[in-house]
Amino acid sequence: LNIYTQNAWIQADQERILQVLANLLSNAAKFSHPQTQVEIDLTAPIEGVFRISVRDFGEGIPSDFQSQIFSKFAQADNSSTRSKGGSGLGLVISKEIVEKHGGSLNFVSKRGEGSTFYFDLPALRRDTE
Ligand code: ADP
């Protein structure tokens, strides 16, 4: 457990950033195994940047699909009988929202071990500090 004890100020469209977080959390839950945890983490990987990470211990993302994950309508399982719902648009939109905020969205994943999706946003510069 990593507890970030300082305030992490950013300037953002609250609704849009919550939409990104909701998308990552819903994917994490959707692709998790039952009764496993999803972890959310806030860190500052470098000065002036805050990182929000959402980690799951699910099936992970097949390596041959990883390069397509930010393409429209892309889904690892695109069979008509697939068990998970969704449009394949969530990550495309999330990436765009984060980039409009001057940040970036990325992931690391290993088949069978799970995935971590994270996005970095510039810290709000406050001249009073
Ligand atoms: P949707 O979830 O609506 O299909 P997304 O753009 O959010 O659309 O995700 C696209 C695809 O990326 C998913 O269908 C799935 O194959 C893969 N994916 C996204 N998040 C995860 C995750 N946490 N674990 C495994 N696969 C994921």
Side-chain angles (χ1 to χ4, degrees):
L1 185 66
N2 188 346
I3 299 176
Y4 192 85
T5 51
Q6 284 162 279
N7 288 324
W9 297 104
I10 55 164
Q11 182 162 39
D13 182 329
Q14 178 174 320
E15 230 171 275
R16 292 284 163 245
I17 290 300
L18 286 177
Q19 180 184 347
V20 172
L21 197 55
N23 177 232
L24 299 187
L25 285 170
S26 120
N27 280 348
K30 196 157 74 172
F31 296 102
S32 279
H33 302 302
Q35 308 299 324
T36 59
Q37 293 194 359
V38 168
E39 295 176 357
I40 311 176
D41 213 26
L42 169 64
T43 55
I46 54 164
E47 174 85 39
V49 174
F50 293 121
R51 174 172 295 178
I52 294 171
S53 311
V54 177
R55 179 178 188 193
D56 68 66
F57 300 90
E59 55 201 61
I61 298 155
S63 47
D64 58 355
F65 178 69
Q66 291 194 5
S67 62
Q68 284 159 255
I69 201 158
F70 293 114
S71 307
K72 279 183 187 162
F73 309 114
Q75 299 180 315
D77 179 358
N78 57 15
S79 64
S80 59
T81 53
R82 73 199 171 89
S83 53
K84 323 278 186 198
S87 63
L89 282 172
L91 285 175
V92 183
I93 295 167
S94 292
K95 190 177 170 70
E96 201 167 294
I97 291 171
V98 171
E99 288 175 357
K100 287 252 159 71
H101 282 81
S104 55
L105 190 158
N106 229 310
F107 69 96
V108 287
S109 180
K110 212 167 164 195
R111 192 88 174 115
E113 290 182 15
S115 315
T116 302
F117 281 80
Y118 59 91
F119 58 97
D120 290 351
L121 290 172
L124 180 64
R125 285 184 49 176
R126 299 201 306 167
D127 297 332
T128 49
E129 280 182 350

